[in-house]
Amino acid sequence: MATIVNTKLGENRGKSRLWLEGQKLAREGFEPGMKLHMELKDSEVVLRVVSTGRFSISRRERNGLVSPILDVTTNELTAIFEGVSMLRVLIRKGVIVIKAHQQHERIQEREQRLLKKLEKGDSLSVCSLFHGGGVLDKAIHAGLARAGISSHVSVVVEIEEKYLESSLRNNPELWTENSCLIESPIEAVALTRNPTQVDMVVGGIPCTGASKSGRAKNKLQFAESHEAAGAMFFNFLQFVCAVNPSIVLIENVPEYAHTASMEVIRSVMSSLGYHVHERVLDGNEFGVLEKRRRLCAVAVSKGLEGLFDLEAVSPIRRAESCLNDILEPVSADDERWKSFDYLADKAERDKQAGKGFTRQLLTGEEPFCGTIGKDYSKCRSTEPFLVHPEQSHLSRIFTPVEHARVKGIPESVVDGLSDTVAHQILGQSVVFPAFEAVAMYLGKSLSKAVQSLHNLYQPVLGKLPSN
């Protein structure tokens, strides 16, 4: 029989304190008046019942009931558990074993692992969830490279075969022969008992239930009510717990910041020893023509806190002066130019109904355009269209290359793809230079963190195995 108590390390008059009281002591045979001897073993403290000892079991009597009390206040606890907020106390017949809670050990392990890689110049491993066509991962890889840090995807999860095929072909710099590719819904992935440990988790949690259009279309009261995407944050957090990264990066629509999902993410990440930084990144601010706003959340392990400031990230690219600067040469008689009468009719109906929906009919002289979504190839009424230079009743959507350019995404991402698949990959991705800038600043912060972490973990670095 045994009792386990996870408790915070207290303090009394400048010394660390462990306080235990009640029947959990009595059931394991600890009674008032017993003496205990303290033994220090590496990273744990052992208290044993002896005939004469330094510590005693005292008592408290309330309403006729006597409760045993163990109050250990000593400098030894301070020395052994410096920086530890949570203890794991095992109470067994005649013996009490005190050690740091396993979560503290996991924090130390991931930070030491990251430090060792940074010091050796090894490639950082990334777990990519909801990978899509790999645009976000490509931006993170490019940004870290700008800071002199190499990286690769170690584990990739994506449900769509066509997106994975595109990423494998068009993003070769992300992959190694040891990369594990999982083509599956994330909720169907069985996490092993000893999963691969990584340095970063990167993912754009599906936002169908959080975006304004998604909630309106599906008539959802809460983002979590969405049948397919509502619980994805739970699966995401399961992966974070399993692979124990030092850095977690999430992107989503700005509305996601106000969902219950994000509130749970913040709470869980805090309990796992991370500090979460959040900022809405605007495409125009970060040097592209698309006015796309995305929530960026970066969670850093607590040993890195103070070394990274998301608000300090600044643009690394300057946008073109207008849309004409990114257009491909499309002839005036190209079949892409169409009348789209049904859209014109719908716009008139919406106007009469007072719905406020208007078409984005652009000449190319504009310094920006609105957001382009996943289903752009369906030619929807509220997304950007270019008006024919000579026949105003004709218009067209951007080509995939133009679509990539307005987001600042390397055109190679959509090489060899149909227009439909190319627009899907681009439409559900990110403003490339914005997340590249975040990763570059993060990489520089990690490089600066090496000395601080080295000083913190120097006593145990030699014991850490290579990963």
Side-chain angles (χ1 to χ4, degrees):
M1 187 182 298
T3 298
I4 296 174
V5 179
N6 293 327
T7 183
K8 290 185 177 181
L9 184 62
E11 184 179 333
N12 183 34
R13 298 180 180 178
K15 296 181 180 180
S16 292
R17 183 187 204 184
L18 172 67
W19 176 283
L20 298 174
E21 178 181 3
Q23 293 307 304
K24 56 181 171 285
L25 289 171
R27 76 187 292 266
E28 299 297 337
F30 291 90
E31 299 293 342
M34 284 184 170
K35 300 293 184 179
L36 302 174
H37 170 70
M38 175 182 284
E39 180 181 353
L40 308 181
K41 287 186 174 181
D42 294 329
S43 59
E44 65 182 32
V45 174
V46 180
L47 298 171
R48 299 182 187 277
V49 175
V50 293
S51 56
T52 59
R54 178 178 171 188
F55 301 99
S56 301
I57 301 293
S58 57
R59 58 179 282 162
R60 185 202 302 272
E61 185 173 348
R62 286 179 178 172
N63 301 322
L65 298 176
V66 176
S67 295
I69 293 175
L70 174 62
D71 182 3
V72 179
T73 304
T74 176
N75 287 326
E76 283 94 330
L77 293 179
T78 304
I80 292 181
F81 300 121
E82 183 179 2
V84 177
S85 59
M86 182 71 71
L87 299 177
R88 179 185 187 273
V89 183
L90 173 64
I91 308 171
R92 195 176 274 153
K93 295 295 183 182
V95 180
I96 297 175
V97 180
I98 309 163
K99 61 189 300 184
H101 188 269
Q102 64 178 2
Q103 187 54 51
H104 178 76
E105 296 176 355
R106 283 170 59 80
I107 292 170
Q108 286 192 316
E109 188 280 327
R110 69 194 181 212
E111 291 177 358
Q112 292 167 15
R113 171 166 30 92
L114 176 67
L115 172 59
K116 200 160 190 178
K117 287 188 177 183
L118 291 171
E119 288 192 318
K120 293 173 63 178
D122 290 347
S123 176
L124 302 188
S125 56
V126 178
C127 173
S128 172
L129 305 177
F130 316 106
H131 182 74
V135 177
L136 176 59
D137 292 273
K138 195 179 186 79
I140 300 303
H141 177 89
L144 290 175
R146 278 177 174 256
I149 296 176
S150 61
S151 63
H152 65 280
V153 289
S154 180
V155 179
V156 171
V157 181
E158 171 54 44
I159 189 173
E160 291 284 355
E161 177 187 9
K162 57 189 176 184
Y163 301 157
L164 277 176
E165 286 293 314
S166 173
S167 184
L168 285 166
R169 183 177 63 251
N170 294 332
N171 306 314
E173 74 275 21
L174 299 181
W175 304 85
T176 72
E177 61 180 11
N178 296 319
S179 298
C180 177
L181 186 158
I182 305 174
E183 183 183 310
S184 167
I186 191 171
E187 65 271 21
V189 178
L191 292 167
T192 60
R193 182 167 296 185
N194 297 302
T196 300
Q197 303 295 277
V198 303
D199 303 304
M200 292 185 67
V201 168
V202 174
I205 302 172
C207 61
T208 311
S211 66
K212 292 179 180 178
S213 60
R215 292 185 65 174
K217 178 180 178 182
N218 295 284
K219 299 179 181 179
L220 303 177
Q221 183 178 2
F222 306 108
E224 295 72 28
S225 302
H226 192 276
E227 182 178 2
M232 293 297 184
F233 75 95
F234 171 75
N235 307 114
F236 183 89
L237 289 172
Q238 281 186 310
F239 261 90
V240 171
C241 291
V243 301
N244 198 30
S246 289
I247 308 289
V248 179
L249 188 147
I250 301 170
E251 69 87 18
N252 216 302
V253 294
E255 293 84 2
Y256 198 76
H258 308 294
T259 62
S261 303
M262 190 61 200
E263 194 60 34
V264 172
I265 289 172
R266 294 185 188 104
S267 177
V268 173
M269 295 303 293
S270 177
S271 70
L272 295 177
Y274 297 91
H275 297 273
V276 182
H277 303 250
E278 298 176 46
R279 178 179 172 183
V280 174
L281 307 178
D282 185 282
N284 291 165
E285 178 188 355
F286 279 87
V288 300
L289 294 169
E290 184 188 42
K291 196 170 182 59
R292 187 183 190 90
R293 301 175 73 250
R294 301 296 282 187
L295 171 68
C296 175
V298 180
V300 298
S301 191
K302 70 176 187 178
L304 303 173
E305 182 61 11
L307 297 164
F308 175 74
D309 180 7
L310 185 56
E311 291 297 329
V313 177
S314 57
I316 58 176
R317 184 183 191 274
R318 178 175 293 179
E320 295 81 1
S321 61
C322 66
L323 292 169
N324 281 329
D325 293 341
I326 59 91
L327 299 182
E328 290 192 283
V330 177
S331 64
D333 60 351
D334 192 283
E335 63 181 9
R336 291 177 181 273
W337 300 108
K338 298 177 182 178
S339 62
F340 295 106
D341 293 334
Y342 66 96
L343 292 181
D345 293 342
K346 182 179 184 301
E348 184 59 32
R349 292 196 303 272
D350 288 342
K351 181 179 179 181
Q352 293 178 1
K355 292 184 177 180
F357 297 126
T358 58
R359 295 187 64 191
Q360 286 191 62
L361 297 173
L362 310 172
T363 66
E365 297 179 358
E366 295 81 3
F368 65 86
C369 69
T371 301
I372 305 174
K374 174 185 175 182
D375 293 319
Y376 187 51
S377 61
K378 293 183 178 180
C379 302
R380 299 179 295 189
S381 61
T382 58
E383 291 178 309
F385 283 75
L386 289 165
V387 177
H388 193 284
E390 300 169 1
Q391 303 179 63
S392 60
H393 67 286
L394 300 179
S395 60
R396 68 173 179 88
I397 62 173
F398 290 123
T399 67
V401 167
E402 293 165 347
H403 186 172
R405 290 173 179 172
V406 298
K407 283 183 167 72
I409 297 173
E411 298 166 27
S412 59
V413 166
V414 292
D415 282 350
L417 300 179
S418 68
D419 283 13
T420 298
V421 175
H423 284 309
Q424 287 175 347
I425 287 176
L426 297 169
Q428 60 186 339
S429 63
V430 298
V431 168
F432 193 92
F435 285 86
E436 184 181 12
V438 170
M440 183 184 76
Y441 188 83
L442 175 63
K444 290 182 176 180
S445 298
L446 291 177
S447 296
K448 292 178 181 178
V450 169
Q451 190 57 50
S452 298
L453 284 174
H454 185 89
N455 293 338
L456 179 63
Y457 290 118
Q458 178 59 35
V460 293
L461 275 176
K463 302 177 183 179
L464 187 68
S466 298
N467 188 35

